[in-house]
């Protein structure tokens, strides 16, 4: 929190505009886009996945020795961008998002039947977590929408409460994600809808 503007009987006080400005800046600094960003070799912030794709393509172009490193970086930029950015991207990112949603819902439906027979929920398959990692590293600002849609569809189609969905996703990512526990917790704290967060998180 910023330094209080005044101290009252109940404690420190801030004006509404100062509190709103702080809250907006805090939201930007701790959003999925901020958590999963990196700096390109050109010195600009971009999604971590785009930076990784650019770095890999730069190495591929530079490895033959015919290009300088600077030329390789420049030549690799647009192919890296075209992998996931825009309606004509090489990867069908929108279809991948739908596939992720359906994979989680299918898992919940299968496990819901097992749970009714006294078997506990199992974590998501490792490959589903791998696709989730790939997606959010390239589309971090779409993470909240993705998770909200999963929670909403689980509630409306399967009658599974959002908190159960949130716990399943968190446990599965803790087990198999390459993002690291701290990033996962910060990402899910920022992106899960309030109804999907457990009282412990």
């Amino acid at each position: 929190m910023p330094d209080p503007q005044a101290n009252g009987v109940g404690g420190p006080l801030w004006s509404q505009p100062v509190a709103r400005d702080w809250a907006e800046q805090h939201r930007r600094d701790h959003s999925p886009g901020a958590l999963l960003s990196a700096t390109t070799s050109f010195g600009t912030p971009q999604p971590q996945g785009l930076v990784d794709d650019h770095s890999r393509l730069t190495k591929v172009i530079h490895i033959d020795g015919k290009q300088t490193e600077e030329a390789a970086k420049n030549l690799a930029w647009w192919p890296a961008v075209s992998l996931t950015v825009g309606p004509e991207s090489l990867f069908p990112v929108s279809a991948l998002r739908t596939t992720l949603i359906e994979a989680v819902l299918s898992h919940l439906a299968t496990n819901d039947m097992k749970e009714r027979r006294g078997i506990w929920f199992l974590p998501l398959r490792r490959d589903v977590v791998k696709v989730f990692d790939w997606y959010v590293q390239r589309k971090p600002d779409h993470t909240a929408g993705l998770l909200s849609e999963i929670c909403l569809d689980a509630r409306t189609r399967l009658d599974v409460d959002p908190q159960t969905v949130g716990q399943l996703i968190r446990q599965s990512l803790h087990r198999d994600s390459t993002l690291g526990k701290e990033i996962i917790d910060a990402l899910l704290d920022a992106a899960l809808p309030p109804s999907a967060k457990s009282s412990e998180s």
Side-chain angles (χ1 to χ4, degrees), residues 4-99:
Q5 294 174 288
N7 284 304
V9 176
L13 301 171
W14 296 269
S15 69
Q16 285 186 352
V18 167
R20 273 195 302 268
D21 287 350
W22 179 87
E24 177 59 24
Q25 188 61 48
H26 185 270
R27 186 192 63 74
R28 276 193 212 133
D29 293 344
H30 296 87
S31 71
L35 288 168
L36 298 174
S37 72
T39 303
T40 66
S41 55
F42 303 118
T44 59
Q46 294 290 339
Q48 177 67 53
L50 175 56
V51 173
D52 291 346
D53 294 341
H54 180 238
S55 296
R56 282 191 212 106
L57 288 169
T58 298
K59 286 178 187 170
V60 169
I61 292 170
H62 188 252
I63 202 162
D64 68 8
K66 294 179 183 175
Q67 303 291 334
T68 66
E69 187 172 352
E70 193 62 33
K73 284 193 290 190
N74 289 324
L75 287 170
W77 179 248
W78 289 112
V81 169
S82 71
L83 290 174
T84 57
V85 177
E88 299 299 318
S89 65
L90 295 174
F91 282 95
V93 178
S94 177
L96 187 65
R97 180 181 192 273
T98 302
T99 303

Side-chain angles (χ1 to χ4, degrees), residues 132 142-152 169 187-188 191-193:
F132 179 87
H142 296 194
T143 306
L146 170 70
L147 294 174
S148 293
E149 188 168 347
I150 290 170
C151 289
L152 178 63
I169 291 171
L187 176 68
L188 294 179
L192 277 171

Side-chain angles (χ1 to χ4, degrees), residues 131-190:
V131 172
F132 179 87
D133 281 0
W134 188 94
Y135 180 86
V136 300
Q137 287 182 67
R138 285 153 184 83
K139 298 292 181 186
D141 290 329
H142 296 194
T143 306
L146 170 70
L147 294 174
S148 293
E149 188 168 347
I150 290 170
C151 289
L152 178 63
D153 285 355
R155 169 61 87 194
T156 58
R157 289 166 53 181
L158 304 172
D159 197 29
V160 176
D161 69 276
Q163 195 170 17
T164 298
V165 176
Q167 288 171 347
L168 169 71
I169 291 171
R170 191 176 300 267
Q171 289 168 357
S172 299
L173 295 179
H174 280 175
R175 190 184 83 156
D176 291 319
S177 175
T178 60
L179 296 175
K181 188 177 184 306
E182 279 185 33
I183 293 290
I184 290 163
D185 285 338
L187 176 68
L188 294 179
D189 288 347

